Amino acid sequence: MTSDVNPIDVQKALKGADYPASRDDLVSLARGNEAGDDVVQALQEAGQDRYDGPDDVQRAIFDGK
């Protein structure tokens, strides 16, 4: 799944995020920012429950798989 996800799309989906943030908060934000289903699914499947910043999210999605 992550092979279809672009890091820039993840950044756009998480625009306005307040960190630290839970995975559920980021999924809700991404949906509110009209992120694609692939980005939302990647966030849902990311290996952490809490993120300290955007770098944590990127690592969980792209390095954790």
Side-chain angles (χ1 to χ4, degrees):
M1 172 52 65
T2 58
S3 62
D4 297 335
V5 177
N6 181 320
I8 294 171
D9 291 337
V10 174
Q11 289 176 353
K12 289 179 184 176
L14 300 180
K15 181 177 181 182
D18 290 319
Y19 295 97
S22 71
R23 177 176 39 214
D24 291 342
D25 289 341
L26 296 179
V27 168
S28 294
L29 178 63
R31 286 184 175 138
N33 285 339
E34 300 180 0
D37 291 339
D38 56 341
V39 173
V40 172
Q41 185 173 351
L43 287 166
Q44 290 171 326
E45 295 174 355
Q48 293 176 222
D49 292 328
R50 188 157 191 82
Y51 300 92
D52 291 326
D55 290 342
D56 269 356
V57 177
Q58 296 285 338
R59 276 192 296 272
I61 291 175
F62 298 104
D63 296 341
K65 299 273 181 176

